[in-house]
Amino acid sequence: MENFTKIKEKIYRGGFTALAFSSLVFLAGIILLLLKESLPLFRHVRFSDFIFGRAWYPTASVPEWGIFPLIMASFWVTLGALFICVPLGVGSALYIHEIASAQQRVFLKPLIEILASIPSVVYGFFGMVVAAPFLQKAFGLPTGLCALTASIILGIMAIPTVCSLAEDALSCVPDSFREASYAVGANRWQTLMRVVLPAAGSGVSTAIILGMSRAIGETMTVLMVAGGAAIVPRSFLQPVRPMTSTIAAEMGEAVMGSLHYNALFSIGLVLFVITLVFNMIAEMVCKRFRLKLGIDR
Amino acid sequence: MKKRFSQRIGFGILWLCMAATLFFLGSIIYFIVVRGAGVFSWQFLTDVPRKSMTAGGVAPAIAGTVYLTMGAMVFALPLGIACAIYLNEYSPRGFIVNIIRMSINNLAGVPSVVFGLFGLALFVKSFKFGVSILSGSLTLGILVLPLIISAAQEALMAVPQSLREASLALGATHWQTIKRIVLPNALSGILTGAILSIGRIAGETAPILFTAATFYNRGFPKSIFDEAMALPYHIYALMTEGTHPDQQTAIAYGCALILLLLVLAISASAIIIRQRQRRFHA
């Protein structure tokens, strides 16, 4: 009987271990499959030509596979989004943390979290039917579907993410910091700006990096709103084609196993590496933040 | 005097930030609710699309979203909970566990369109499931796995260590303790996490773009190997394909409204449940 229980325990332990390893398998699987499906391209195209080439004509009779315009478009749109989501997200977090009354906070915190769940396709739709026509009229543009509109919509979309994470970081700052600051005569604003915000600084930067990583990997919004011209952007008022929307828009037409198909997987690989780097930086910064404030979990 | 003045300005700016945030997010919801309400009717919810997408309802798209979401949860929920149990209850702290933790964190940051590529290469192509509900569900399941794991882990962590110790002191084995003490106490937390993940995958579009979604089906999908219409994809397709942009935009407003209400209701209920629990425990 005792033996039976012991064996049962071992079986359960082994089973859970195996299942836990599956997450590792999935990550490895994603990397391997991306490599497997993208490598055939580099038998025909040099890697440096792929990254720095300035022409993306996958369906021309002499196709060209330069994704530089797509990378630049992704960065422009993400950068533009940061100008909106960082001040508004962090500002709102500071408001909820410092100014909001207890009743307001009980209401605002869950509200922001609920708003974070609005699907990206709804933002994209809103951008197409409301924001783009509005901006087109306001700036007299030839088309409302451009980098500016995409940046604005992406920025709005990332606000709840940045705000929730930044608020979490702010509330990790121990009360003793704040009390010490009041004790030497600082008022609430000075305490907030010179003590609480710097103490939460790396936590807030983690929030910003994760918001940025979300923006650069976002597909539906930019697919619907950014316009889709594969050119190196010169101004925010031009239509652009970021990496994500290229994959989404062209995978439907690409013949399975063709060079075009491989090239789209290569873009996916580049995207994967970029977001991986962002997430690793975020994790490192986050670890430092926790060490600094002495939170061990 | 100057001190008080700068505080007033600073707080004013923060107030403006909060107001702008609420204004932007509120206006998105306002536009979709007001313009979507016009096409909203019982028939819109229960009828199939008619006259090449210019009339009728979107019932197959609603059904497709429900199937895909349920399929993903059937796959991801047990796996995610098992993974969380291992990490929190069994794992000897060490190198391998750190690697698993890291890979879960990184999996959470992978862009959704890359999951779509993964699903296309693995399920559609290698496993030959084709463009189907099965492929789409599995892809969405892998996407949502990290979310479920971290939610379940948090719930398990919230179970006080003293409960485990008491159970072990009474002579229960490790697994008995997990099954009878830890899991029942963590259950509500795990469920909240699961509901939140449902809200997340119901609105995902990019992963099903090449693995499950189709613009038009005559009726409802009959097996898990059929393609399916899905609400989020339907919004996108209505706006970018087809030949009657005006009527299609009206229907897209209706779809966006349904999707918005669905997702907001799901996540609101999860968050309210969690709020109640916290108050209860505190």
Side-chain angles (χ1 to χ4, degrees):
Chain A
M1 188 59 207
E2 199 163 298
N3 247 342
F4 178 68
T5 324
K6 253 186 196 161
I7 292 171
K8 213 167 114 184
E9 285 295 308
K10 270 197 180 145
I11 291 176
Y12 277 115
R13 182 188 203 101
F16 280 120
T17 313
L19 289 173
F21 270 91
S22 62
S23 64
L24 203 62
V25 173
F26 286 129
L27 187 68
I30 290 181
I31 298 171
L32 286 179
L33 272 173
L34 284 177
L35 280 174
K36 180 182 160 250
E37 301 285 354
S38 59
L39 284 182
L41 177 78
F42 298 107
R43 264 182 235 137
H44 303 269
V45 186
R46 271 198 312 179
F47 185 70
S48 59
D49 289 344
F50 178 68
I51 299 286
F52 297 110
R54 284 174 168 263
W56 173 257
Y57 298 117
T59 50
S61 55
V62 184
E64 296 199 55
W65 309 102
I67 62 165
F68 191 69
L70 316 180
I71 297 178
M72 288 319 286
S74 281
F75 274 101
W76 273 60
V77 169
T78 305
L79 205 69
L82 282 185
F83 279 104
I84 292 174
C85 74
V86 171
L88 291 187
V90 176
S92 302
L94 286 171
Y95 178 90
I96 293 175
H97 187 72
E98 184 62 36
I99 305 176
S101 64
Q103 294 124 308
Q104 271 181 339
R105 197 171 310 155
V106 168
F107 171 73
L108 282 174
K109 265 192 82 167
L111 182 71
I112 294 287
E113 230 175 313
I114 292 168
L115 290 174
S117 69
I118 298 177
S120 58
V121 72
V122 172
Y123 283 99
F125 177 65
F126 174 81
M128 258 178 125
V129 293
V130 180
F134 174 76
L135 288 170
Q136 187 178 7
K137 229 185 253 167
F139 290 96
L141 306 175
T143 168
L145 302 176
C146 61
L148 179 70
T149 320
S151 290
I152 291 174
I153 298 290
L154 266 189
I156 294 174
M157 190 176 149
I159 293 174
T161 313
V162 173
C163 178
S164 295
L165 290 171
E167 214 278 329
D168 286 345
L170 288 172
S171 56
C172 280
V173 177
D175 277 339
S176 56
F177 282 33
R178 172 197 297 274
E179 284 154 11
S181 168
Y182 290 150
V184 294
N187 66 12
R188 285 167 68 196
W189 174 249
Q190 287 170 321
T191 305
L192 191 65
M193 282 299 126
R194 301 202 197 147
V195 177
V196 178
L197 194 57
S202 42
V204 173
S205 356
T206 309
I208 294 170
I209 299 169
L210 288 178
M212 206 166 143
S213 164
R214 181 165 179 208
I216 211 166
E218 181 41 54
T219 312
M220 295 319 289
T221 316
V222 289
L223 177 60
M224 293 168 87
V225 171
I231 42 170
V232 180
R234 286 180 196 290
S235 91
F236 265 107
L237 302 177
Q238 281 178 334
V240 293
R241 176 162 221 164
M243 292 185 277
T244 48
S245 60
T246 310
I247 300 175
E250 294 177 15
M251 192 48 100
E253 312 148 22
V255 179
M256 237 182 232
S258 66
L259 223 49
H260 192 189
Y261 173 88
N262 297 139
L264 293 177
F265 269 88
S266 310
I267 299 176
L269 190 63
V270 172
L271 201 57
F272 177 82
V273 171
I274 291 174
T275 49
L276 201 65
V277 169
F278 273 137
N279 287 327
M280 283 181 165
I281 294 174
E283 204 164 316
M284 261 156 47
V285 175
C286 183
K287 207 174 259 173
R288 250 193 37 202
F289 170 60
R290 291 183 173 285
L291 277 181
K292 193 163 101 185
L293 293 185
I295 312 162
D296 53 352
R297 215 180 85 197
Chain B
M1 197 55 212
K2 204 181 140 219
K3 229 165 93 175
R4 194 175 292 168
F5 186 66
S6 69
Q7 165 155 318
R8 203 168 264 180
I9 301 255
F11 280 8
I13 293 171
L14 294 185
W15 188 87
L16 278 179
C17 286
M18 192 73 237
T21 298
L22 292 179
F23 169 76
F24 282 135
L25 295 166
S27 62
I28 290 177
I29 295 177
Y30 171 83
F31 269 103
I32 286 172
V33 169
V34 167
R35 296 205 190 156
V39 290
F40 209 67
S41 67
W42 183 244
Q43 190 210 6
F44 189 71
L45 288 174
T46 53
D47 201 4
V48 295
R50 292 179 197 286
K51 294 183 191 156
S52 61
M53 299 288 168
T54 58
V58 292
I62 298 174
T65 290
V66 172
Y67 291 150
L68 284 167
T69 311
M70 277 190 340
M73 292 313 279
V74 165
F75 166 68
L77 200 54
L79 195 58
I81 294 173
C83 195
I85 289 176
Y86 174 77
L87 287 175
N88 210 56
E89 306 296 321
Y90 281 106
S91 72
R93 291 176 185 278
F95 180 65
I96 293 174
V97 175
N98 273 340
I99 289 190
I100 296 182
R101 286 224 167 92
M102 220 178 70
S103 72
I104 292 167
N105 281 346
N106 285 319
L107 209 54
V110 174
S112 56
V113 72
V114 173
F115 280 101
L117 288 177
F118 174 70
L120 172 67
L122 187 68
F123 304 123
V124 178
K125 206 178 148 205
S126 300
F127 290 176
K128 300 205 164 55
F129 292 157
V131 175
S132 64
I133 294 179
L134 182 60
S135 300
S137 295
L138 290 172
T139 311
L140 286 173
I142 294 173
L143 173 106
V144 84
L145 197 57
L147 228 72
I148 293 180
I149 294 175
S150 55
Q153 239 189 313
E154 218 164 280
L156 291 172
M157 245 183 263
V159 178
Q161 200 58 31
S162 55
L163 286 185
R164 292 187 187 91
E165 284 159 4
S167 163
L168 291 170
L170 287 172
T173 62
H174 201 159
W175 168 243
Q176 285 168 335
T177 305
I178 292 170
K179 192 172 73 174
R180 307 224 179 113
I181 306 296
V182 179
L183 278 183
N185 275 294
L187 191 66
S188 58
I190 295 177
L191 280 181
T192 336
I195 300 174
L196 275 177
S197 349
I198 292 179
R200 166 87 197 274
I201 42 181
E204 276 294 344
T205 320
I208 59 171
L209 220 48
F210 346 111
T211 56
T214 176
F215 185 21
Y216 180 62
N217 254 0
R218 269 232 189 128
F220 297 88
K222 295 192 177 51
S223 88
I224 54 170
F225 292 104
D226 282 353
E227 297 180 313
M229 292 171 68
L231 274 178
Y233 178 72
H234 202 57
I235 297 172
Y236 165 66
L238 282 169
M239 294 306 292
T240 52
E241 285 170 35
T243 46
H244 306 275
D246 290 341
Q247 289 104 314
Q248 285 180 195
T249 304
I251 294 180
Y253 265 115
C255 289
L257 179 59
I258 298 173
L259 188 63
L260 195 67
L261 291 179
L262 195 72
V263 169
L264 289 181
I266 290 171
S267 60
S269 59
I271 286 165
I272 289 168
I273 292 172
R274 199 179 59 196
Q275 215 84 338
R276 286 251 168 91
Q277 276 164 10
R278 277 196 194 146
R279 217 168 296 155
F280 179 73
H281 285 298

